[in-house]
Amino acid sequence: MSSIGRGSEADSQLLDHDSPQLESIRGSTYLTEQPPVPLNDPYYHDTNGLVDGDVITEADEADIEDGEPNIPFIFLLTILVSFSGFLFGYDTGYISDALIATGTDLGHEITPRDKELITSATSFGAFLGAIIAGTLADILGRKWVTLGANILFILGALVQAASHSVEAMIEGRFIMGWGVGIASLVAPLYISEMAPGRYRGRLVIINLIAVTGGQVIAYILGAVLGHQWRVLVGLGCFPALVQLIVFIFMPETPRFLIRSNKIEKAKKVIRSIYSGRAGPVEEHLVDKKVKLLLEFNHEEHGDISRVQRLGVELREIFGIPAYFRSLLIACGLQAIQQVCGFNSMMYFSATLFEMVGFKDPALVALIIASTNMLFTVVAFNLIDKVGRRRILLYTLWVMAIMLVFTGIAISHVLADIAADPDSPSPWAKIVIVTMIGYVAFYAIGIGNVPWQQSELFPMSVRGVGTSMATATNWGLNLIVSGTFLTLMQKIKPGGTFVLYAIMCLTGEALVYFFYPETSYLTLEDIQGLFQDGFGVERSIALSGEAKRRYYMSLAHPDEPESL
């Protein structure tokens, strides 16, 4: 049996043409294990029965992804859901200043161990929230779980603002951590399922820009408010309240609606997404998109209980090799993000700069947070153009170099302070420069790519898969942030930063061998990459072909379309 696809000749050479089952989906042809290809699949073409002169018509070739979508509508949805990202950033950002500003407000001067517990409480809550968030999103929908996260943000902020003991502060941070964990999963999941394939990377990064923006705002307010840390904490209630109200009127994602057998509602959302300046999208293209989504996003286990369904999903994600490979990559990327040590330095940046002698550590920490935001904007412009895989390969090794120099510089600063406490160390400026360099390359690469995790999983296990990946992030965040100050004391700054550098280099190797390129591919395209190994070579060919196909569809193919 042979098949006609729309991939490149190089892609076709990767196939086993004697296989009884081939599938062609939007410009890619690949071997599949599940689900079986139906006879009415609009993207499947069997040459058995075709004779000389038979052709695939232009209508068959047309695809909804080739047109110009409704950018204002998609952008508005992304901004509104990115309030979750802002809250995530704000609530993890203000703690750096609050740990210094509390003084004796919590009953006594807080110790380094108190700081680790207060900070880690959020990570622990986020870890638990992430574990259940994917399953809740599959049961209740992406929209309603986001509303629940807002309630947790508000409750956690109020408890913290009213706290008068370390224990109460930890409780408030723990409650808020549940909201952070849920929001960190559901916001990029919602955006991924709403976004057209060629914009998905950039739209998810808008949420990450909101995360870094929240951190910057938290640092600015921390500097302005000084010791009024209760006001700083309480202000986090307002964006949560705004999103809580607005999100009631937001649409659910078409993939979740189709999984819930709400086909007409899904069509309505698809029309809203893909009806651009050229006018309403043609109805046959909407039907074609729905058929494709039905094949990959329908609910296969609708007649069993939710607990039983979770069991089925767990067996699938660990038992089906393609799904398990997706899980390994998603969890691996999240692990790399954490073990490189970035979040520890963000949480304790003011403490760290105070340690090395800066008189206004909060201001220096603001510079670091602003760098993170600025270069996340740079990532917005590169993520789809350059590709996820290449961005990581270009940045991780540079991060390792910056970490080594940071550790060396901090060690010299501490030695100079010990020798002459009244004289500034020339190494202090090097600490700032190397940390800015480290943060810049982090923001461009590993700071944002792991949050593209939703695209790696098929719909049947997307909830549980993203839960495991996000839980990996927050579980390691808990460990790394809970041990940072201890490591600084036990193995000194040099040893601590060299350890993080080794983790970056390990991540570089793992990305090179196992992480496929997913830019310009739809969520349904990506499902075929892991059927036979990790699909690195195949993904590079398919992504390049999809990118070329898109530019050929434009009036000026050499000019990328701006978002």
Side-chain angles (χ1 to χ4, degrees):
M1 176 179 175
S2 60
S3 101
I4 295 177
R6 285 176 283 171
S8 68
E9 182 177 351
D11 299 340
S12 300
Q13 292 173 355
L14 296 171
L15 301 172
D16 174 8
H17 288 280
D18 295 327
S19 168
Q21 188 182 106
L22 289 171
E23 187 172 9
S24 176
I25 295 182
R26 275 194 32 79
S28 62
T29 308
Y30 47 74
L31 186 65
T32 61
E33 296 171 1
Q34 289 189 0
V37 180
L39 293 176
N40 64 348
D41 183 352
Y43 291 93
Y44 177 76
H45 303 286
D46 185 355
T47 56
N48 288 346
L50 287 180
V51 297
D52 291 342
D54 282 349
V55 295
I56 297 173
T57 67
E58 185 176 344
D60 291 330
E61 288 291 305
D63 192 276
I64 200 169
E65 293 283 340
D66 295 336
E68 183 179 357
N70 187 347
I71 294 299
F73 175 74
I74 299 168
F75 189 74
L76 176 62
L77 292 182
T78 303
I79 292 297
L80 293 175
V81 76
S82 294
F83 270 67
S84 294
F86 178 87
L87 288 164
F88 173 6
Y90 184 84
D91 290 335
T92 56
Y94 68 67
I95 193 61
S96 179
D97 287 330
L99 290 176
I100 295 176
T102 51
T104 59
D105 291 349
L106 298 179
H108 58 80
E109 287 282 351
I110 58 176
T111 65
R113 187 57 184 163
D114 290 335
K115 291 181 179 181
E116 286 184 337
L117 290 173
I118 290 170
T119 303
S120 299
T122 301
S123 300
F124 184 51
F127 171 72
L128 297 177
I131 289 176
I132 67 167
T135 300
L136 288 177
D138 280 348
I139 295 172
L140 303 176
R142 287 71 169 122
K143 169 181 173 178
W144 297 107
V145 173
T146 302
L147 292 174
N150 282 290
I151 294 173
L152 291 169
F153 278 126
I154 294 170
L155 181 60
L158 292 176
V159 172
Q160 288 175 79
S163 62
H164 291 276
S165 67
V166 171
E167 292 75 17
M169 188 71 171
I170 291 173
E171 289 171 3
R173 296 286 294 173
F174 178 70
I175 294 170
M176 190 192 67
W178 280 79
V180 169
I182 293 171
S184 66
L185 182 151
V186 178
L189 175 61
Y190 183 96
I191 295 170
S192 291
E193 292 191 352
M194 282 289 197
R198 65 179 179 268
Y199 295 119
R200 189 175 59 250
R202 283 170 285 175
L203 291 172
V204 170
I205 286 185
I206 288 177
N207 181 62
L208 298 173
I209 293 172
V211 173
T212 57
Q215 291 171 340
V216 170
I217 295 298
Y219 280 117
I220 292 174
L221 290 177
V224 171
L225 294 173
H227 290 283
Q228 301 180 65
W229 64 271
R230 297 185 192 278
V231 177
L232 177 65
V233 173
L235 287 174
C237 292
F238 292 100
L241 184 61
V242 170
Q243 191 184 49
L244 181 65
I245 295 171
V246 171
F247 230 74
I248 294 174
F249 305 99
M250 296 273 281
E252 186 54 87
T253 73
R255 288 171 172 86
F256 178 79
L257 291 171
I258 283 178
R259 186 180 185 181
S260 304
N261 293 319
K262 298 177 180 178
I263 308 301
E264 291 305 316
K265 288 185 177 180
K267 284 186 175 183
K268 182 178 179 180
V269 178
I270 290 171
R271 292 187 194 102
S272 298
I273 293 173
Y274 290 98
S275 296
R277 286 181 295 181
V281 64
E282 296 179 28
E283 197 62 26
H284 76 92
L285 294 178
V286 175
D287 292 337
K288 190 175 183 180
K289 183 71 173 178
V290 168
K291 287 179 182 179
L292 179 62
L293 295 181
L294 277 169
E295 281 305 311
F296 288 91
N297 300 288
H298 69 287
E299 178 58 76
E300 297 180 358
H301 309 291
D303 57 342
I304 62 177
S305 70
R306 292 170 179 174
V307 175
Q308 290 174 317
R309 182 185 306 160
L310 177 60
V312 170
E313 291 172 358
L314 289 172
R315 287 195 297 272
E316 286 182 349
I317 203 165
F318 286 107
I320 297 177
Y323 295 0
F324 187 60
R325 293 182 193 109
S326 300
L327 180 66
L328 288 177
I329 291 174
C331 291
L333 290 175
Q334 293 287 14
I336 294 167
Q337 185 188 87
Q338 288 302 316
V339 297
C340 72
F342 172 81
N343 282 319
S344 292
M345 285 184 279
M346 287 298 292
Y347 294 155
F348 299 108
S349 56
T351 301
L352 181 63
F353 288 121
E354 186 179 49
M355 182 188 301
V356 296
F358 287 99
K359 299 187 182 302
D360 193 351
L363 178 60
V364 182
L366 173 60
I367 294 173
I368 300 298
S370 299
T371 301
N372 188 25
M373 180 179 177
L374 174 63
F375 282 89
T376 302
V377 175
V378 173
F380 171 85
N381 292 295
L382 296 178
I383 185 73
D384 289 318
K385 181 178 180 180
V386 176
R388 287 89 155 124
R389 172 184 164 84
R390 281 203 291 171
I391 278 182
L392 291 181
L393 293 176
Y394 292 163
T395 56
L396 282 168
W397 66 272
V398 183
M399 288 170 56
I401 292 174
M402 294 297 174
L403 282 168
V404 171
F405 280 114
T406 300
I408 293 172
I410 291 177
S411 297
H412 280 283
V413 170
L414 294 177
D416 291 345
I417 290 175
D420 186 0
D422 297 326
S423 299
S425 172
W427 288 89
K429 294 180 180 179
I430 298 177
V431 172
I432 295 179
V433 171
T434 55
M435 283 196 67
I436 287 176
Y438 166 77
V439 170
F441 283 95
Y442 169 90
I444 293 172
I446 197 65
N448 69 76
V449 173
W451 296 111
Q452 309 288 337
Q453 61 189 11
S454 302
E455 67 186 16
L456 297 172
F457 298 101
M459 185 68 180
S460 62
V461 295
R462 189 169 294 153
V464 69
T466 52
S467 278
M468 290 182 182
T470 308
T472 298
N473 180 290
W474 287 109
L476 287 172
N477 183 297
L478 173 64
I479 295 171
V480 175
S481 63
T483 58
F484 177 69
L485 296 180
T486 302
L487 283 174
M488 293 282 284
Q489 293 175 347
K490 297 293 184 181
I491 64 174
K492 307 304 180 186
T496 302
F497 285 91
V498 167
L499 178 61
Y500 293 154
I502 292 172
M503 295 297 102
C504 289
L505 294 177
T506 302
E508 176 93 8
L510 293 175
V511 167
Y512 180 81
F513 288 107
F514 300 112
Y515 182 44
E517 182 55 68
T518 58
S519 60
Y520 281 84
L521 302 180
T522 68
L523 297 180
E524 287 64 43
D525 291 337
I526 297 168
Q527 292 183 30
L529 294 178
F530 304 107
Q531 300 298 331
D532 184 18
F534 287 91
V536 174
E537 292 183 6
R538 181 185 304 164
S539 72
I540 294 170
L542 296 181
S543 177
E545 177 65 23
K547 185 176 181 180
R548 286 191 296 272
R549 185 168 180 262
Y550 163 60
Y551 285 140
M552 288 176 64
S553 71
L554 299 177
H556 302 286
D558 294 330
E559 298 179 9
E561 181 178 317
S562 61
L563 176 58

